[in-house]
Amino acid sequence: PTPVDSPYLRSTISRSGPHLGNHGFLRGIFGTGAAPHPPTVQSTPAEVVKKAHNLDITSANSLGVTTKASVKGRYYNPLPPEVNLSDIPPQVTEYNAAFLKCVETIKRRHDPVVSTIAYGVLELKEHWRRTSSPLINPQFPRLLPAAVQSFLDRFYMSRIGIRMLIGQHIALSQASMSHSSNPEDHVGIICTRTSIREVASHAIEDARSICRDYFGLYTPPTVDLVMPKGKSDVEFMYIPSHLHHMLFELLKNSLRATVERFGPDAEDEWPVVKVIVAEGERDITVKVQDEGGGIPRSGMPLVWTYMYTTASTPMLEEDYNRNDFNAPLAGFGYGLPLSRLYARYFGGDLKLICMEGYGTDAYLHLSRLADSPEPLP
Ligand code: W6P
């Protein structure tokens, strides 16, 4: 095999701790009846393929899926060139299909985890509110205990990683099964030439549309997208859905602050929200800049916690099931801490600089995907 020199692929391949890999986690899932267990195959797909071909492919793909992929122009094939898909025993193909269905089911089943946890945190807050006397504790805890905060940070960081790997596995499997040509610049869910202009434009339109519906506006505030001097776009290797998620969250905050500061009827006064893209050698930074009045410095630590939300009415579970339900402009207040985790997952970061009374600058630093190790604690 010719493993490509990319930490992303390295971490995919070598990840075999107690949570992932060929050991307890996956066996446990197969043991729960969540997916059909192929009766004749006792070992992992990779082991079966290895046995069948008497080849050492352990450095290839622990999930046994054979895929050709081009990363940064280099050829990546987990199996040696003399092995092709038709050489793989039928049990392995069956096993892979069952495994694929299994992980798809798992991913879907865990879609609502963020809101489930958010309801748990709301219950915890409510419990504190009821049990702590205002005399003893006039400001009932506004910050989660540090242990809970760091647990949730680690939990969500791990979840981002696991879901990315499942998404990558699904995308690669589908690409290898469909025989249709995967777009030249995609390796599963990774886009080797993620266009900031394209992703940011979509995020801007999505955030503006939610802002318009939420405030009942005819036209939401304008957002200007500014590329580096002399460039019409910046492309880099990243996962477009992650980038969209982060920009969308930042833009919703900026648009809401703008409308709330000047009022929904003062559309002539709304300052433009600016998205400024800078391209360095190692970092790409996107600044989302608004004049929505900012946050006082004393409020800054709160925005990174899982307890802080400025949404005035707490969302009820049944709200989500109503068919006239409008996506909340401000939900549980998880947008910022989760976006920072997404940024940090690939070696980036998210920082807010506020001028209370003027506005907020959000700096989204993105490391080019190829040079960051997986940051799981
Ligand atoms: C604000 C508060 C905020 C958070 C994140 C991004 C932008 C903004 N603007 O007023």
Side-chain angles (χ1 to χ4, degrees), residues 7-9 27 61 74 81 83 98 110 112 117 133 152 158 211 237 239 243 246 267 284 289 291 319 341 348:
Y8 163 69
L9 291 168
R27 287 263 160 74
N61 184 329
R74 273 183 286 184
V83 180
H110 288 254
I117 298 276
S133 156
L152 288 175
S158 170
C211 176
M237 177 153 66
I239 298 179
L243 182 59
M246 296 181 286
E267 59 177 274
I284 284 159
Q289 188 177 307
E291 294 176 30
D319 287 339
L341 293 181

Side-chain angles (χ1 to χ4, degrees), residues 250 253-254 257 290 292 294-295 336 352 360 362:
L250 294 177
N253 281 297
S254 288
D290 68 63
I295 304 169
L336 289 176
L352 289 195
T360 304

Side-chain angles (χ1 to χ4, degrees), residues 79-365:
L79 289 177
E82 64 271 21
V83 180
N84 59 48
L85 277 174
S86 56
D87 294 332
I88 293 176
Q91 310 99 292
V92 175
T93 312
E94 267 169 46
Y95 189 108
N96 282 343
F99 180 76
L100 174 61
K101 255 183 112 169
C102 174
V103 289
E104 279 173 336
T105 307
I106 292 168
K107 186 158 185 276
R108 208 172 333 109
R109 189 171 67 226
H110 288 254
D111 282 347
V113 157
V114 174
S115 58
T116 307
I117 298 276
Y119 284 114
V121 170
L122 285 178
E123 279 178 31
L124 184 62
K125 272 168 80 175
E126 182 60 17
H127 172 75
W128 282 339
R129 203 180 61 76
R130 286 167 196 259
T131 56
S132 68
S133 156
L135 295 173
I136 301 168
N137 186 2
Q139 284 186 314
F140 82 95
R142 288 177 6 124
L143 285 169
L144 273 183
V148 179
Q149 178 71 25
S150 77
F151 168 80
L152 288 175
D153 276 331
R154 287 160 47 105
F155 175 80
Y156 283 124
M157 178 73 94
S158 170
R159 181 174 185 271
I160 288 168
I162 289 168
R163 288 175 72 79
M164 184 207 58
L165 292 178
I166 295 178
Q168 184 69 353
H169 179 77
I170 293 170
L172 288 176
S173 303
Q174 284 167 349
S176 77
M177 284 184 311
S178 71
H179 298 292
S180 68
S181 55
N182 206 23
E184 202 38 48
D185 58 359
H186 271 77
V187 182
I189 58 171
I190 301 171
C191 179
T192 54
R193 294 169 47 214
T194 303
S195 153
I196 297 206
R197 174 176 289 284
E198 193 180 322
V199 176
S201 303
H202 281 120
I204 288 168
E205 282 329 300
D206 294 347
R208 290 183 77 229
S209 144
I210 281 183
C211 176
R212 187 194 54 210
D213 294 350
Y214 179 82
F215 290 108
L217 308 169
Y218 183 65
T219 342
T222 315
V223 180
D224 280 355
L225 179 56
V226 184
M227 287 293 161
K229 244 194 170 50
K231 296 198 80 165
S232 64
D233 198 0
V234 172
E235 294 180 335
F236 70 124
M237 177 153 66
Y238 211 73
I239 298 179
S241 62
H242 288 193
L243 182 59
H244 180 279
H245 177 100
M246 296 181 286
L247 291 175
F248 178 58
E249 287 301 332
L250 294 177
L251 286 159
K252 281 192 297 180
N253 281 297
S254 288
L255 291 172
R256 182 163 83 114
T258 302
V259 175
E260 285 184 347
R261 181 174 180 210
F262 294 88
D265 299 319
E267 59 177 274
D268 296 337
E269 293 169 48
W270 292 332
V272 169
V273 172
K274 284 187 189 143
V275 177
I276 294 163
V277 180
E279 184 183 31
E281 217 151 273
R282 313 208 56 188
D283 286 346
I284 284 159
T285 303
V286 184
K287 176 167 71 170
V288 179
Q289 188 177 307
D290 68 63
E291 294 176 30
I295 304 169
R297 281 178 304 148
S298 61
M300 289 306 293
L302 283 172
V303 308
W304 304 114
T305 73
Y306 297 99
M307 286 191 72
Y308 173 82
T309 174
T310 52
S312 47
T313 40
M315 196 77 59
L316 295 172
E317 197 145 15
E318 52 262 34
D319 287 339
Y320 280 104
N321 302 324
R322 287 197 349 241
N323 48 13
D324 62 343
F325 173 66
N326 269 338
L329 187 62
F332 294 112
Y334 285 28
L336 289 176
L338 287 185
S339 294
R340 188 169 68 172
L341 293 181
Y342 273 104
R344 287 183 176 174
Y345 187 73
F346 287 123
D349 208 351
L350 173 59
K351 295 183 173 173
L352 289 195
I353 309 278
C354 283
M355 287 166 77
E356 193 193 5
Y358 179 77
T360 304
D361 288 354
Y363 290 86
L364 179 59
H365 300 286

